[in-house]
Amino acid sequence: MFEGFDPILLARIQFAFTVSFHFVFPAFSIGLASYLAVLEGLWLKTGKQLYLDLFKFWVKIFAVAFAMGVVSGIVMSYQFGTNWAVFSDKAGPIIGPLMAYEVLTAFFLEAGFLGVMLFGMNKVGRGLHFASTLAVAIGTLISATWILSANSWMHTPVGFEINAAGQFVPSGSWWTIVFNPSFPYRLAHTVIAAYLTTAFVVGAVGAWHLLKDRADPHARKMFSMAMWMAAIVAPVQIVAGDMHGLNTLEHQPAKVMAMEGHYQSHPDGAPLILFGIPNSAEKRVDYAVEIPKASSLILKHDANAPLAGLDTVAPQDQPPVGIVFWSFRIMVGMGMAMLCIGLWSLFARFRKRLYDWPLLHRAALVMGPSGFVAVLAGWVTTEVGRQPFTVYGFLRTAHSASPLEAPAVGASLIAFVLVYFAVFGFGTWYILKLMAKGAHRGEDAIDVDAPIRTAGITPGPAQHPEGKQ
């Protein structure tokens, strides 16, 4: 049924599908791991049962999300060898070690302490358990660091040479490769996005239960903490995004041209196109709503600064404008909506109506998935904007794929779609079910019925002298 299809396009769709599923769960678990560390730290410091209840509530959700993230990540990594074998061969000497460092540092750290965090609340001391929670939180950040370093190198490749076999190999210090030009900006932007994603999920859960019971102390605390995060971190993300955009303009100008919809160069200041319909055939944006010279002001901090357009880029090197143009606006739109919710919550807090403003709670509930939408839109902007290259400027996507026929790639794509929606759909449903129940006083830990021994003879229930249990 896939005869006549482009196998490279199908391989790209398959990778985009699987990585989209994978990206959703780490974007949530990175922020949630840090939130759990904060909750447990506040419990140890204040002794308030409320924080312990919230920790036990969210750790169950973290366990499911973390498991789905690991499973989806393993599946995704296999595609480097199945669908993108040429890329793996050519870029493997650099990408391979970076991915291995992620396993040796982050994954082993998380795996070593995850069990203690999930099942050890009643088995180890408070200090050791808190240390385990911190280790898991730090592990998620280290994992993001290595993955983003590898991905950033593909966007801004440095510190390499190409050997006789056509492979990218290190030419000097590995630190040059790890800390490539776009890596610090991409890391900051992505980690902050993960924190905002978690904040709005927590805020939505709190808002849901506040709409049912405004006096619920657990819902109040969740909502308050989430809104503080939104109010403080959303403006920081806008600044980080601006810095990331300026770095992209320096190293990947064609991507920014596509994001801005600049088909033509503007020697006397470029307009900021708010909305429109990119028309690549005619090299213009139809029905454009724009602010004169605002793009030059944002990107160059000078309203009259010239900005080059896609007319300066060879047609075969231009990214797909329509996808990048709209995904960028979805990401920015979500970011501005997050900022508005954060500012609204500050106003409500000032008016002492944070827990008594149903319209705010409904808005926060609607914004619950906004972080996921934003990170996916940002990923699409980043990765599609890199096209037609896998290693920017050096290795084209068309030259990176495995020599597979379209039916083989299409069959595996259909299998992935069916299995992913079944497995991860059920997992997502279960997470939503846990969220709907809400936290309550005396929340049960995960390890209520966990065995107390892992080897040897497990003691049975204690017996009374009369033989009664």
Side-chain angles (χ1 to χ4, degrees):
M1 66 179 289
F2 288 99
E3 292 292 343
F5 281 78
D6 181 3
I8 296 178
L9 178 60
L10 291 175
R12 290 179 61 191
I13 293 173
Q14 185 178 126
F15 193 82
F17 177 79
T18 53
V19 79
S20 295
F21 266 87
H22 174 64
F23 197 14
V24 162
F25 299 113
F28 182 39
S29 59
I30 288 171
L32 190 54
S34 295
Y35 182 53
L36 289 170
V38 170
L39 289 173
E40 187 169 7
L42 289 172
W43 170 59
L44 293 175
K45 180 179 179 180
T46 65
K48 293 183 178 179
Q49 179 69 27
L50 177 66
Y51 293 117
L52 180 59
D53 293 339
L54 289 176
F55 174 87
K56 291 180 177 179
F57 170 70
W58 283 106
V59 79
K60 300 173 187 176
I61 296 170
F62 174 83
V64 180
F66 185 87
M68 291 195 290
V70 170
V71 172
S72 60
I74 292 173
V75 173
M76 185 188 69
S77 64
Y78 276 109
Q79 291 185 57
F80 285 116
T82 56
N83 293 349
W84 302 100
V86 178
F87 166 79
S88 299
D89 174 61
K90 292 184 179 297
I94 287 180
I95 298 298
L98 294 178
M99 302 292 283
Y101 296 151
E102 189 265 342
V103 174
L104 292 173
T105 57
F107 194 76
F108 281 6
L109 182 64
E110 293 168 320
F113 288 96
L114 182 65
V116 179
M117 186 188 83
L118 296 180
F119 305 109
M121 177 65 76
N122 301 321
K123 305 292 188 296
V124 300
R126 292 183 176 184
L128 177 56
H129 190 272
F130 182 51
S132 300
T133 305
L134 287 175
V136 172
I138 294 171
T140 61
L141 293 175
I142 296 175
S143 178
T145 299
W146 286 116
I147 296 298
L148 287 168
S149 175
N151 180 264
S152 298
W153 181 85
M154 294 164 62
H155 288 266
T156 51
V158 293
F160 71 94
E161 60 186 18
I162 299 177
N163 64 16
Q167 295 176 309
F168 297 87
V169 295
S171 62
S173 172
W174 268 99
W175 292 117
T176 302
I177 295 172
V178 173
F179 292 96
N180 56 79
S182 65
F183 166 66
Y185 303 94
R186 200 180 305 277
L187 177 65
H189 195 50
T190 304
V191 170
I192 294 172
Y195 285 151
L196 281 173
T197 297
T198 301
F200 276 89
V201 171
V202 173
V205 174
W208 170 262
H209 292 286
L210 281 175
L211 288 169
K212 295 193 295 184
D213 180 7
R214 296 184 188 179
D216 184 347
H218 299 88
R220 284 177 168 235
K221 181 58 65 176
M222 282 190 287
F223 190 70
S224 178
M225 295 177 76
M227 290 302 101
W228 274 124
M229 194 72 174
I232 295 172
V233 178
V236 175
Q237 178 69 319
I238 292 174
V239 175
D242 178 67
M243 296 175 65
H244 183 27
L246 296 178
N247 177 265
T248 304
L249 177 64
E250 178 182 357
H251 296 282
Q252 294 177 298
K255 181 189 295 186
V256 176
M257 295 171 191
M259 290 159 53
E260 297 292 324
H262 290 163
Y263 286 101
Q264 307 299 327
S265 299
H266 295 84
D268 300 316
L272 176 63
I273 302 175
L274 301 178
F275 302 103
I277 302 176
N279 186 340
S280 294
E282 300 294 334
K283 305 298 181 184
R284 67 170 184 261
V285 177
D286 296 332
Y287 311 107
V289 178
E290 58 187 41
I291 302 175
K293 300 192 175 187
S295 185
S296 290
L297 182 62
I298 293 172
L299 294 172
K300 295 288 189 178
H301 303 296
D302 179 359
N304 296 311
L307 278 180
L310 288 169
D311 55 344
T312 64
V313 180
Q316 67 271 19
D317 294 338
Q318 295 180 12
V321 177
I323 298 175
V324 178
F325 180 88
W326 277 110
S327 62
F328 176 69
R329 274 148 188 77
I330 292 172
M331 179 188 69
V332 172
M334 289 294 100
M336 298 307 296
M338 291 177 180
L339 177 64
C340 290
I341 291 291
L343 295 177
W344 189 359
S345 73
L346 285 179
F347 179 69
R349 202 182 296 269
F350 175 76
R351 294 285 302 274
K352 300 187 184 303
R353 294 193 60 194
L354 184 65
Y355 311 118
D356 304 306
W357 204 335
L359 188 59
L360 172 61
H361 302 158
R362 291 190 178 93
L365 181 60
V366 171
M367 286 291 290
S370 61
F372 300 113
V373 176
V375 296
L376 287 176
W379 174 80
V380 170
T381 302
T382 297
E383 301 305 314
V384 177
R386 182 183 57 194
Q387 297 305 315
F389 299 99
T390 47
V391 179
Y392 191 73
F394 293 93
L395 180 62
R396 291 181 176 272
T397 304
H399 303 153
S400 302
S402 303
L404 296 173
E405 297 295 331
V409 182
S412 60
L413 172 60
I414 291 177
F416 274 124
V417 171
L418 294 176
V419 173
Y420 267 52
F421 275 110
V423 174
F424 297 114
F426 176 78
T428 303
W429 170 82
Y430 184 66
I431 287 176
L432 293 174
K433 183 179 178 180
L434 290 175
M435 291 177 175
K437 291 178 61 177
H440 58 271
R441 184 171 180 81
E443 185 81 26
D444 291 333
I446 293 180
D447 61 345
V448 170
D449 298 318
I452 61 174
R453 295 188 57 156
T454 57
I457 299 174
T458 302
Q463 299 287 331
H464 291 285
E466 296 83 359
K468 298 178 180 181
Q469 293 188 4

